[in-house]
Amino acid sequence: MLDRLDRGRLRLAGLGLVLATGLVLVAGAVAGPRAAACGDVVLNENSWVGSTANVYVLKNVLETKLKCKVKVLNITEGQPAFQAMADGKIDVVLEDWQNLPGTPYEKAKSVVSLGTNGITGVIGWYIPAYLVKQYPAMKTWRGIKGKESVFKSPESGSQGMFLGGDPSYVQKDRALIKGLGLDLKHVVAGAEPAQVARWTQLYKQKKPVLFYWYDPQYLNAQYQVVQVQLPKRTASCKDDEKKGGDAKQYACAYPSYRLDKLVSKEFLASGSPALKVIRAFRWTSRDQNFVANLISGKKQSKDKAAAAWVNANGKTVNGWVK
Amino acid sequence: MSGVAAEPATIAAPTLSHRPWWRGKPVQVALVVAGMWLAYRALRLEYPWPSELAWNSLQFKLDEFQVWLIEQRSAEDKSIVFALFDGFRVFVDNLVIWLEDALFWLTWPGATALGTLVVLRFGGRRAAAITLTAFATFALTGLWEASMQTLALMLAAVSLSLLVGIPLGIAVGRSRTVARILTPVLDAAQIVPAFAYLMPVVILFSVGPAAAVVATMVYAIPPSVRITALGLRGVPLNTVEAAVSLGSTTRQTLTKVQLPLARRMLLLGVNQTILFALSMVVIAGLIGGGGLGAVVNSGLSSTPALALLAGLVIVVMAIALDRSTEAIAERTDPARHHLDADGRRRARLASLGVVATVAVVVAAARLLGVSRVYPETAGVQERAVTAQEWLLARIQSVLDYIQDPTSWVFSITEPIGIFILQQLLLPLQQFLVEAPWFTTLAGLTLVALVVSGIRPAVTTFVMLGAIGVTGVWALAMDTLSQVLVATLIAVVIGIGLGIAASESATVSKGLRPVNDVLQTLPQLVYIIPFIYLMPVSIVPGIVAGVLYAFPVVVRLVERGLDDVAPQSVEAAGAFGATRRQVLAKVKIPLAGDAIMLGVNQGIIMVLAVVVIGGLVGSGGLGYEVAQGLVRGYFGQGVIASFAILALGITLDRVTQGTRKARKEGLG
């Protein structure tokens, strides 16, 4: 149905198309070279800022000193991340709060601990420093007993409010409250950013608040908070309230946590030069908070914040790389 | 749910009720509730669900199941089932990676040219302008790479969802048996929170694009099935009969009559599939979806402004995908455009022109060494050439204002939050949680009996009983109190706005972007700032539920009212009915099916964000589910999820039952 002229035009267009496609393919072949002396390393970044600080500092070191190709994934912590390591999708996790022990992944040795990253994790009950000035006795749990109504909130009625932690963190506060016989109501605040919203809002108004919190955490540099002393730990102390049993057994402080570096079985066997650096990687909660504060407080980009710390701490970094 | 399976509404003349007012349903319900209230006052907290009636080892059995699954997965000689899963995983992983590589290979000017020109060719100028704006947004926010990753993931997830959903929808629309079998499965897929099945998905598909696509598909397939089925069933019976009597085969009837006539509904199905899929971007980010979802997740606690920005980019992408698919479908509608030979030739030339232009742009970009992502220089300096820093500073200043407890906004919002909590939510919660279990169980069953009849009552009894037996009675009653409030508000707003939108084109136009934003903006990025304004538990979770649920109600109600046959409306007009009468006596009864589907979807949507509620302070079942995923309490997560599902089924059957009961009462 087409007349000759149009047919010719179409053919011309078709020819042009073929030529253009060829041109594109040639251009594609001249793509840039890929440098990968140390190979690929996949790090997993978790949802808390401290983990971001670990990951981006190590990323900087591996990229600049060893010329590795580092990829950062954001798989949710705990079991999903472990399964990803077992499948060889993640090589390294830099901060595990003792979630690995007891899982099938530990038993199958598909995820292996390389020991501490140098930081000790602390979990506990915290109150603002201004409150301690007002009620010095509240530094320990005994000082709170009888004074629970100070922590009254809209949802706790006549009782005091205890603000619970992120669902993904280890908790035994309900059992602790019961075991210590405190007149507190455990209120779940939700995920960490939601809990932070609750207590910082009260802090800014200089109101009393008692909450589940931990260290290292960069907010501890912005807000003056004090840990409440709980009864000393004993041999029969229990920590996982899901296991049930008598509440009295839980009435003791949280243990301190060694924060472990984990690598996958596959990565461990690969003999990557990065492995040496990861074994040696070790820093302090002050270092971590410094980087975390640059990212979260000062709103710097993650790479930039990590570079700033690496440049200022050549000695430590050289210790990892040598 | 059963709304889909029901026959088109038959209209009966409203009859006068012969029952005296004191025997009416509201009075009966009030009497039952009063009885429950008295029992609550007298025996409060004395009868929690007895532990003898709870199956406590269920949780550990489920935990053992997960361990078994993990061990099977890593076993040396895998079973054929795992081989199949592996095959699917490799296919989807490669599909997404291929799409991603293709988008990067095109370079950023090339990708923009391809997207914009293809939409221009098939969808027209307006849609092309929206597409171009979207690409500009990806570039200017400095989130180009993440956007392309998410775009690739969503293209794969949406097309696979439609590939499965539309045929299933046709099957459901044509066969009542299929409908009866599939309806509960669809309910479960939409209500069971993704957090509960993320871990099994990760075990079966590992992390990465395939796992992300599977999790997205579970949630995005049901709306395409439901709406396709509804559309097919909405085709007038006499048209189908005419086609059959003229000798059409079943296949011909389907492809030449039913599907073309259901085109509008099919399009709504595509649109909802896109929006549902994009609402999963953040959850998919938890298991390796990467892209914008990962930016949101990692930004939530460290850089909320960035999380919010990435959330807004997800919305822009959703709107662009939605508008361009819609425009393409409209313009290529064969019923509207009969091209003559000349037109066809011109169209073909235009297509060639598009291909050639894109090829030239790509070739030029690659030869000039334009980078695969925008901005050009990667690394530390990258933000200089985008508006990201400026945008983040603006968003941050808004957030700073919101987080300031001395602002006048806070002095208004905080007391409102406290009032709603103390006067409404806490009393209802305490009533349901603390009343003796047997009076609550009996009372709610009686209410179901009074409102909708014997079958829904049996369902209610069985479902609530199952909740008790699995040991989550108190948590479920807590969640029920919140779901009731959120659903009620969402349905009231949804039906009201839906009617307004169908009566006024301006309202309809204005509501559309609002709906898109609320359906696809990740809830956490706006609910967490909201907590600063209303620092009380429960309220933020209810706000999240209402905001997520009412847009769907609006859309379905509006579409249902618009689809009422014009001759019925004209006939009523000819009899001198006023606009209000036409609405109340003709349109709403005739659109009954679509409106009830709207109510039903409203309930489902509220339940779908119960977990989000758990993450912002609502506690209850949502918190348990979220905890189950990360802490490895698989059993806890599954049990809590099934309790959410049981609540959903109960609410659905009772609300659907009222319709049936009403019909019987009328007929």
Side-chain angles (χ1 to χ4, degrees), chain A residues 1-3 6 9-10 13-14 16-17 20-21 23-31 34 45-49 52 73-81 83-84 87 89-90 98-99 104-105 108 153-156 164-171 174 185-198 200-202 204-205 207 218 240 242 295-297 299-304 307, chain B residues 59-60 66-67 70-71 73-74 89 93 105 198-199 202-203 205-209 285-289 294 297-304 306 341 344-345 348-349 352 355-356 359-360 362-363 366-367 372 379-380 382-383 389 396 402-405 410 414 418 421-422 426 429-430 528 531-537 614-620 623-624 626-627 629-633 636:
Chain A
M1 265 189 263
L2 295 168
D3 56 43
D6 269 324
R9 210 185 278 169
L10 271 180
L17 190 68
T21 317
L23 211 62
V24 172
L25 287 175
V26 170
V30 205
R34 281 192 182 177
E45 179 190 356
N46 293 124
S47 63
W48 61 95
V49 203
T52 306
L73 285 188
N74 297 76
I75 308 299
T76 196
E77 65 166 322
Q79 298 229 2
Q83 180 66 42
D87 293 331
K89 302 257 176 153
I90 296 175
Q98 299 295 325
N99 278 325
Y105 306 98
S153 84
E155 53 262 73
S156 65
D166 185 291
S168 62
Y169 301 159
V170 192
Q171 287 167 72
R174 283 196 183 86
K185 185 173 175 188
H186 184 277
V187 171
V188 288
E192 181 171 309
Q195 192 215 13
V196 169
R198 291 296 305 275
T200 56
Q201 217 49 346
L202 290 165
K204 287 182 223 156
Q205 300 172 73
K207 286 184 181 166
Y218 83 98
D240 187 356
K242 294 274 165 191
I295 296 168
S296 249
K299 310 291 175 205
Q300 286 189 11
S301 86
K302 296 167 182 175
D303 286 304
K304 213 170 164 182
Chain B
Q59 190 174 332
F60 304 109
Q66 180 175 292
V67 171
I70 291 170
E71 280 163 2
R73 183 78 180 82
S74 52
R89 179 184 91 199
D93 270 349
W105 183 85
L198 280 189
M199 195 52 209
V202 168
I203 295 172
F205 300 98
S206 188
V207 298
L286 292 173
I287 53 170
N297 284 322
S298 80
L300 275 177
S301 57
S302 59
T303 41
L306 184 60
R344 228 172 287 153
R345 194 166 60 234
R348 220 170 292 163
L349 273 175
L352 274 174
V355 176
V360 168
V362 172
R366 292 198 66 94
L367 287 175
R372 15 181 263 143
V380 179
E382 70 184 50
R383 288 182 189 189
E389 220 146 69
Q396 190 59 46
I402 286 172
Q403 297 178 2
D404 178 9
F410 184 78
E414 197 202 19
I418 293 175
L421 179 80
Q422 290 183 327
L426 282 182
Q429 183 197 54
Q430 276 161 8
I528 285 174
I531 298 174
Y532 284 93
L533 289 177
M534 245 179 224
V536 285
S537 48
L615 291 176
V616 296
S618 297
Y623 186 89
E624 298 290 298
Q627 191 170 46
L629 172 68
V630 192
R631 298 222 46 80
Y633 307 139
Q636 172 184 325

Side-chain angles (χ1 to χ4, degrees), chain B residues 231-305:
Chain B
L232 224 55
R233 238 181 262 117
V235 173
L237 210 59
N238 41 10
T239 318
V240 177
E241 274 164 9
V244 173
S245 68
L246 287 174
S248 296
T249 61
T250 319
R251 172 183 294 251
Q252 281 171 334
T253 315
L254 180 67
T255 55
K256 309 273 177 195
V257 179
Q258 286 174 305
L259 287 181
L261 282 176
R263 201 183 155 90
R264 273 168 63 80
M265 265 317 206
L266 290 184
L267 280 180
L268 181 68
V270 173
N271 155 292
Q272 286 298 301
T273 307
I274 290 172
L275 295 183
F276 271 62
L278 274 135
S279 74
M280 285 291 282
V281 166
V282 172
I283 288 182
L286 292 173
I287 53 170
L292 295 168
V295 176
V296 171
N297 284 322
S298 80
L300 275 177
S301 57
S302 59
T303 41

Side-chain angles (χ1 to χ4, degrees), chain B residues 34 89 191 203 208 210 319 339 377 430 435 449 493 495 530 601:
Chain B
R89 179 184 91 199
I191 296 176
I203 295 172
I319 292 179
L339 287 180
T377 45
Q430 276 161 8
L449 180 70
I493 296 179
I495 292 184
F530 180 79
Q601 290 291 297

Side-chain angles (χ1 to χ4, degrees), chain B residues 515-549:
Chain B
N515 289 353
D516 294 328
V517 171
L518 291 178
Q519 252 189 292
T520 51
L521 185 62
Q523 288 91 18
L524 286 179
V525 305
Y526 66 86
I527 288 296
I528 285 174
F530 180 79
I531 298 174
Y532 284 93
L533 289 177
M534 245 179 224
V536 285
S537 48
I538 310 182
V539 180
I542 287 184
V543 171
V546 171
L547 291 183
Y548 188 58

Side-chain angles (χ1 to χ4, degrees), chain B residues 355-509:
Chain B
V355 176
T357 316
V358 172
V360 168
V361 170
V362 172
R366 292 198 66 94
L367 287 175
L368 290 172
V370 173
S371 84
R372 15 181 263 143
V373 299
Y374 184 91
E376 310 274 326
T377 45
V380 179
Q381 304 297 326
E382 70 184 50
R383 288 182 189 189
V385 275
T386 68
Q388 192 187 51
E389 220 146 69
W390 185 84
L391 285 167
L392 288 180
R394 297 287 85 70
I395 296 176
Q396 190 59 46
S397 67
V398 174
L399 289 179
D400 285 343
Y401 184 78
I402 286 172
Q403 297 178 2
D404 178 9
T406 58
S407 73
W408 66 269
V409 176
F410 184 78
S411 67
I412 297 168
T413 52
E414 197 202 19
I416 293 177
I418 293 175
F419 178 83
I420 296 175
L421 179 80
Q422 290 183 327
Q423 304 306 319
L424 280 170
L425 297 170
L426 282 182
L428 181 62
Q429 183 197 54
Q430 276 161 8
F431 171 51
L432 284 173
V433 174
E434 296 175 3
W437 65 272
F438 44 85
T439 58
T440 307
L441 181 58
L444 294 178
T445 307
L446 270 177
V447 169
L449 180 70
V450 170
V451 172
S452 29
I454 183 78
R455 281 186 62 161
V458 172
T459 310
T460 306
F461 183 80
V462 171
M463 290 295 150
L464 293 180
I467 287 172
V469 169
T470 50
V472 286
W473 178 262
L475 292 165
M477 288 303 116
D478 183 355
T479 295
L480 176 63
S481 71
Q482 299 173 32
V483 166
L484 283 177
V485 174
T487 306
L488 187 69
I489 301 174
V491 167
V492 168
I493 296 179
I495 292 184
L497 286 179
I499 292 172
S502 118
E503 293 291 294
S504 145
T506 328
V507 175
S508 173
K509 239 186 211 155

